[in-house]
């Protein structure tokens, strides 16, 4: 579907890479899973088509970070659960910024494609686009089920997850027949194991967060930032810098849980809506999945692309800069985050989520 709809634009495979990551993010909140699955197919294909290995690796790693912004996002779920903010509204708030990041990445790819003559594919025609959209529509109902059900008040986020799993099972077992009934117990046990890993992170981060609060480290950071400026916009810029540093050394779940008090205090001081703060924090933390020393997505992509770390980091720097730019723009223009929630759930926005 991605190849048929955007593959004809100059730099086609680069656009396909970003588009696939955006779609994959709707089905999985894990950026590392996106990098491994999408990268194993598209990085070799991009190299074969004439793209440089560092650019293919950098674009794959950076676009996969959309998985932590586009709903259903694991980080937004964690933030909402521990800050008593509506997870459904957080999901809605992440839609426009994520699309904006994806479009910026595609625009950057287009500029490089024109400059370096990256290849493109011929446009297959409107009928072909229509056919692939129809074929691709059933799996894309998963985010519709989750978001629509939560925002419509039909079920909770947990129940929405159950509905998504049931729909995915129906498609896999009945429609596409990719799996058999005998495969379901093994898939379920694998899911339990995969789910247990971040739970260890959550529990460890909870203890560490309590220790930081007990020692007063959060207040030290807050006092330092407030001692530098009392301007709301500058406070948020300093918070972005702080979150970038944190995201470089901690995974996003730990960084969210441990430093949640700092986010809340500075957000209140700057007059930021809690929904806005949650989405903004998630956007900034996504950069840490590509930047050193944590850079888990970049490391996975480098292993697939078989290129050097230094060249890949250099290629990834401008793309990460685009994500940071969206975060800064969302401070200057809050409706980038809050516009869609205001339209769909105005009462929750007025009450602070």
């Amino acid at each position: 579907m991605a190849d048929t709809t955007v593959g004809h634009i100059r730099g086609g495979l680069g656009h396909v890479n970003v588009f696939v990551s955006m779609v994959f993010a709707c089905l999985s909140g894990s950026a590392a899973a996106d990098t491994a699955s999408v990268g194993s197919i598209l990085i070799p294909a991009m190299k074969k088509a004439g793209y440089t290995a560092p650019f293919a690796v950098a674009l794959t790693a950076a676009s996969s970070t959309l998985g932590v912004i586009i709903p259903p996002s694991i980080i937004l779920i964690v933030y909402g659960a521990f800050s008593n903010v509506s997870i459904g509204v957080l999901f809605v708030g992440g839609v426009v910024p994520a699309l904006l990041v994806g479009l910026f990445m595609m625009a950057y790819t287009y500029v490089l494609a024109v400059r370096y003559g990256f290849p493109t594919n011929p446009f297959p025609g409107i009928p072909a686009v229509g056919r692939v959209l129809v074929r691709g529509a059933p799996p894309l109902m998963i985010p519709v089920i989750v978001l629509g059900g939560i925002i419509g008040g039909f079920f909770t986020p947990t129940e929405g997850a159950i509905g998504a799993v049931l729909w995915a099972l129906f498609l896999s077992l009945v429609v596409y027949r990719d799996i058999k009934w005998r495969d379901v117990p093994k898939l379920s046990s694998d899911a339990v194991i995969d789910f247990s890993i971040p739970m260890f992170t959550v529990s460890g981060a909870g203890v560490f967060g309590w220790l930081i609060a007990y020692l007063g480290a959060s207040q030290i950071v807050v006092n330092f930032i407030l001692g530098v400026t009392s301007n709301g916009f500058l406070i948020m810029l300093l918070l972005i810098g702080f979150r970038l540093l944190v995201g470089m050394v901690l995974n996003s779940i730990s960084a969210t849980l441990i430093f949640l008090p700092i986010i809340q205090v500075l957000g209140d001081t700057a007059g930021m809506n809690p929904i806005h703060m949650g989405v903004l924090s998630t956007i900034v933390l996504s950069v840490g999945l590509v930047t050193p020393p944590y850079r888990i997505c970049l490391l996975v992509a480098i292993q697939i692309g078989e290129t050097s770390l230094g060249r890949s980091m250099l290629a990834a720097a401008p793309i990460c800069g685009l994500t940071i730019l969206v975060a800064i723009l969302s401070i200057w223009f809050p409706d980038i985050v809050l516009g869609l929630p205001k339209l769909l759930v105005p009462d929750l926005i007025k009450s602070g989520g």
Side-chain angles (χ1 to χ4, degrees):
M1 184 180 69
D3 188 36
T4 304
T5 52
V6 300
H8 63 281
I9 304 172
R10 172 67 69 179
L13 275 180
H15 301 304
V16 170
N17 194 323
V18 177
F19 190 96
V20 170
S21 292
M22 294 173 72
V23 174
F24 193 92
C26 296
L27 310 177
S28 167
S30 171
D34 185 348
T35 306
S37 57
V38 174
S40 62
I41 298 172
L42 283 176
I43 290 177
M46 291 179 70
K47 290 171 62 178
K48 186 177 180 180
Y51 295 81
T52 64
F55 174 72
V57 164
L59 186 64
T60 302
S63 64
S64 67
T65 62
L66 292 169
V68 304
I69 308 172
I70 294 178
S73 162
I74 295 173
I75 309 305
L76 290 178
I77 292 172
V78 170
Y79 179 91
F82 284 85
S83 62
N84 197 29
V85 174
S86 169
I87 295 173
V89 182
L90 284 169
F91 281 176
V92 177
V95 171
V96 174
L99 291 176
L100 200 56
V101 172
L103 289 174
F104 277 15
M105 290 181 182
M106 294 177 75
Y108 177 71
T109 300
Y110 181 84
V111 171
L112 290 187
V114 171
R115 181 177 179 181
Y116 296 109
F118 291 158
T120 186
N121 299 323
F123 181 58
I126 298 297
V129 173
R131 285 193 296 270
V132 298
L133 289 177
V134 170
R135 289 177 58 193
L140 293 180
M141 285 299 295
I142 289 178
V144 175
I145 292 172
V146 174
L147 276 178
I150 295 173
I151 297 302
F154 297 106
F155 42 64
T156 66
T158 302
E159 292 165 347
I162 295 171
V165 169
L166 292 177
W167 179 246
L169 281 174
F170 171 74
L171 293 179
S172 300
L173 291 167
V174 179
V175 179
Y176 300 118
R177 298 183 181 180
D178 293 326
I179 62 174
K180 307 296 182 183
W181 281 105
R182 63 175 179 270
D183 299 326
V184 174
K186 176 65 165 58
L187 292 172
S188 300
S189 64
D190 289 344
V192 170
I193 294 173
D194 290 341
F195 178 75
S196 67
I197 296 172
M199 287 300 98
F200 280 105
T201 301
V202 169
S203 61
V207 174
F208 192 26
W210 175 88
L211 183 61
I212 285 181
Y214 178 78
L215 296 175
S218 299
Q219 196 59 44
I220 293 174
V221 175
V222 170
N223 291 340
F224 172 77
I225 292 179
L226 295 182
V228 173
T229 180
S230 59
N231 180 277
F233 183 75
L234 293 179
I235 289 174
M236 296 313 301
L237 288 181
L238 289 173
L239 181 59
I240 285 178
F242 174 71
R243 298 299 276 170
L244 284 172
L245 292 174
V246 169
M248 289 179 180
V249 294
L250 289 175
N251 70 62
S252 300
I253 295 178
S254 299
T256 298
L257 290 175
I258 292 172
F259 297 102
L260 185 58
I262 296 175
I263 300 172
Q264 292 174 323
V265 171
L266 292 177
D268 290 342
T269 304
M272 298 283 284
N273 185 285
I275 302 295
H276 196 173
M277 284 301 304
V279 175
L280 175 65
S281 177
T282 302
I283 294 171
V284 176
L285 285 177
S286 70
V287 179
L289 298 169
V290 182
T291 52
Y294 184 62
R295 60 173 184 253
I296 181 66
C297 289
L298 189 63
L299 291 176
V300 172
I302 287 172
Q303 192 171 23
I304 297 171
E306 298 178 340
T307 185
S308 69
L309 175 61
R311 294 176 64 198
S312 299
M313 287 173 53
L314 190 63
I319 309 177
C320 292
L322 294 174
T323 304
I324 298 172
L325 175 61
V326 171
I328 295 173
L329 288 175
S330 72
I331 300 175
W332 199 264
F333 304 103
D335 278 350
I336 291 177
V337 174
L338 299 177
L340 195 57
K342 284 179 182 178
L343 182 65
L344 298 178
V345 281
D347 293 338
L348 279 176
I349 293 297
K350 290 176 183 177
S351 64

